[in-house]
């Protein structure tokens, strides 16, 4: 044990370790989760197109202002917000920086630091994630600017030939290098190895591949001496492929998900914040609730880090019109309350969301 602590101390002081762990634990406090508002310019443009809104910087700023200036009760269920670089630099119409707006609510600002998926040569249409070259400098700027955590997404897909060993190894190592750089700069890394729901595979296949991906990821994190107590995991729930002919219950999803996590994720990790993975708003809430109700060993808090599953109804309700600001903000508060309850296994359908699928094939930010 002494040797392990000595290894960490090569780049993390006890004070920094404690700071990282306290931030991570604050994000996964009971009844709270993360609002992922880190869509890139292009991705948010696609969302705006669905409501007939032009993708301008001012419209993007205005939409994020809608989210972040919702009633202070938002902080009862939202502990952190993931920002995009452009959003990190934006302010409200009256000049208050978004970072400050969130901090004043008691919400921890976070930041997406990867720069997107790129093809991984020598594979069957697999990918890795770029952005490591200047990551240390950017992390230092984000930390100074008020961020407490960061996010980096890798994506792997299930097919007859994938995920390949090359993709498993490469994406795990990229996530580990990112996590190490973040911790050196005082940011809690959210590690996101997403197994995409594209395909017609069954639940058992999804569980097997998810376990494989997580095993590679935590081997790499150990190899890079990442301080696990100062990290969070953002995995997919274990669900069958979107085109699977077999329909599974939330209890099936809960069993497969908890089993996969128990077999691969160290208990030292401070918390797990699921991505919604294109599930409908209601499915994302119901499945999270079932996971927390599942009777089994769960040594970590299990909560949410949702983008589409928190914002789908909000965006449609707003429609780009100023007069809809308040009602759209109320829709956000409703989804936040529902998922806060689900993170404690106490959701009873009282805040039902849309059942419309939010699945996007080969989803990238």
């Amino acid at each position: 044990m002494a040797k392990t602590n000595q290894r960490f101390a090569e780049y993390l002081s006890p004070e920094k370790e404690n700071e990282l762990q306290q931030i991570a634990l604050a994000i996964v406090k009971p009844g709270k989760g993360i609002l992922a508002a880190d869509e890139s310019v292009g991705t948010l443009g696609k969302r705006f197109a669905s409501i007939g809104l032009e993708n301008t910087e001012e419209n993007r700023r205005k939409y994020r202002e809608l989210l972040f200036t919702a009633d202070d009760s938002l902080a009862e269920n939202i502990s952190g917000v993931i920002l995009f670089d452009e959003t990190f630099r934006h302010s409200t119409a009256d000049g208050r920086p978004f970072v400050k707006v969130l901090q004043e609510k008691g919400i921890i600002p976070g930041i997406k630091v990867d720069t997107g998926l790129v093809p991984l040569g020598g594979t069957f249409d697999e990918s890795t994630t770029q952005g490591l070259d200047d990551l240390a400098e950017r992390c230092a700027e984000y930390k100074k600017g008020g961020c407490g955590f960061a996010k980096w997404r890798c994506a792997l897909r299930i097919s007859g030939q994938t995920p390949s060993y090359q993709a498993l190894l490469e994406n795990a190592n990229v996530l580990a290098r990112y996590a190490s750089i973040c911790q050196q700069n005082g940011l809690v890394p959210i590690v996101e190895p997403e197994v995409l729901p594209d395909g017609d595979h069954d639940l058992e296949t999804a569980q097997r591949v998810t376990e494989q991906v997580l095993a590679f990821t935590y081997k790499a994190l150990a190899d890079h001496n990442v301080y696990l107590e100062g990290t969070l995991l953002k995995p997919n729930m274990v669900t069958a492929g979107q085109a699977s002919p077999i329909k599974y219950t939330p209890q099936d999803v809960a069993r497969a998900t908890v089993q996969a996590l128990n077999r691969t994720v160290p208990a030292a990790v401070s918390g797990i914040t699921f991505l919604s993975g294109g599930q409908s708003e209601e499915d994302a809430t119901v499945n999270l609730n079932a996971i927390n109700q599942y009777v089994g060993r769960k040594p970590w808090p299990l909560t949410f880090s949702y983008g589409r599953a928190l914002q789908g109804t909000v965006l449609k309700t707003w429609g780009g019109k100023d007069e809809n600001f308040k009602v759209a903000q109320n829709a956000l508060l409703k989804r936040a309350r529902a998922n806060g309850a689900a993170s404690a296994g106490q959701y009873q359908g009282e805040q039902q969301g849309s059942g419309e699928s939010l699945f996007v094939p080969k989803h990238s930010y």
Side-chain angles (χ1 to χ4, degrees), residues 16-173:
K16 184 170 285 187
E17 286 183 359
N18 182 65
E19 179 191 11
L20 291 168
Q21 185 174 18
Q22 292 309 309
I23 294 171
L25 292 174
I27 292 171
V28 294
K29 282 184 176 179
K32 297 190 177 188
I34 296 171
L35 167 62
D38 57 330
E39 300 91 349
S40 66
V41 172
T43 297
L44 199 53
K46 294 176 184 177
R47 308 274 170 81
F48 282 175
S50 71
I51 59 171
L53 185 65
E54 186 180 359
N55 185 21
T56 64
E57 182 174 352
E58 174 56 18
N59 281 337
R60 293 192 297 273
R61 188 207 64 77
K62 187 178 294 185
Y63 176 58
R64 264 57 183 263
E65 179 171 349
L66 182 159
L67 297 174
F68 305 157
T69 60
D71 187 87
D72 285 351
S73 64
L74 181 66
E76 294 175 7
N77 302 113
I78 299 296
S79 54
V81 172
I82 309 174
L83 306 173
F84 183 62
D85 181 80
E86 178 184 74
T87 317
F88 169 76
R89 305 177 195 285
H90 275 166
S91 301
T92 62
D94 59 5
R96 293 178 296 149
F98 283 158
V99 169
K100 295 295 185 184
V101 170
L102 294 171
Q103 289 176 329
E104 288 170 1
K105 289 181 182 290
I107 295 173
I108 303 171
I111 184 74
K112 172 188 184 295
V113 294
D114 71 73
T115 56
L117 303 180
V118 292
L120 182 59
T123 66
F124 290 96
D125 194 29
E126 294 181 280
S127 66
T128 185
T129 308
Q130 61 186 354
L132 289 173
D133 287 352
D134 61 347
L135 181 58
E137 291 80 7
R138 290 188 290 123
C139 283
E141 178 190 4
Y142 294 137
K143 178 68 175 181
K144 185 177 180 181
C147 289
F149 67 99
K151 193 208 79 164
W152 180 292
R153 174 181 180 257
C154 287
L156 298 103
R157 65 187 186 89
I158 297 174
S159 73
Q161 299 81 28
T162 62
S164 65
Y165 177 83
Q166 181 181 352
L168 289 164
L169 187 64
E170 163 66 15
N171 283 287
N173 279 321

Side-chain angles (χ1 to χ4, degrees), residues 158-159 195-203 205-206 239-244 248:
I158 297 174
S159 73
V195 178
L196 296 171
D198 306 55
D200 60 359
H201 52 274
D202 59 21
L203 189 67
T205 300
T239 60
Q242 285 286 330
S244 172
Y248 296 92

Side-chain angles (χ1 to χ4, degrees), residues 259-330:
Q259 281 184 355
L261 296 173
N262 269 308
R263 292 171 178 174
T264 54
V265 181
V269 173
S270 282
I272 295 174
T273 63
F274 292 103
L275 56 91
S276 56
Q279 300 177 76
S280 72
E281 289 180 340
E282 187 64 9
D283 284 349
T285 305
V286 168
N287 284 335
L288 178 62
N289 192 64
I291 287 169
N292 277 289
Q293 288 184 339
Y294 181 79
V295 178
R297 181 178 177 274
K298 292 172 290 189
W300 340 259
L302 299 167
T303 188
F304 60 93
S305 178
Y306 292 168
R308 286 168 286 171
L310 279 171
Q311 297 181 51
T313 297
V314 176
L315 189 61
K316 286 185 177 181
T317 302
W318 175 49
K321 299 177 181 178
D322 290 349
E323 60 266 30
N324 294 336
F325 242 57
K326 187 63 178 177
V327 66
Q329 288 177 330
N330 288 338

Side-chain angles (χ1 to χ4, degrees), residues 4 7-8 10-12 20 132 135 150-154 168-184 187-193 210-235 261 264-272 300:
T4 301
R7 287 191 306 161
F8 291 144
E10 290 173 6
Y11 66 88
L12 291 182
L20 291 168
L132 289 173
L135 181 58
K151 193 208 79 164
W152 180 292
R153 174 181 180 257
C154 287
L168 289 164
L169 187 64
E170 163 66 15
N171 283 287
N173 279 321
V174 164
L175 284 167
R177 290 183 63 196
Y178 140 79
S180 177
I181 293 168
C182 281
Q183 290 191 335
Q184 292 175 56
L187 293 177
V188 169
I190 293 184
V191 177
E192 182 179 353
T210 297
E211 290 174 8
Q212 189 177 28
V213 168
L214 291 174
F216 269 77
T217 299
Y218 280 99
K219 170 63 164 59
L221 290 170
D223 288 344
H224 287 258
N225 298 328
V226 172
Y227 177 60
L228 294 182
E229 290 87 343
T231 67
L232 296 171
L233 174 67
K234 182 173 179 175
L261 296 173
T264 54
V265 181
V269 173
S270 282
I272 295 174
W300 340 259

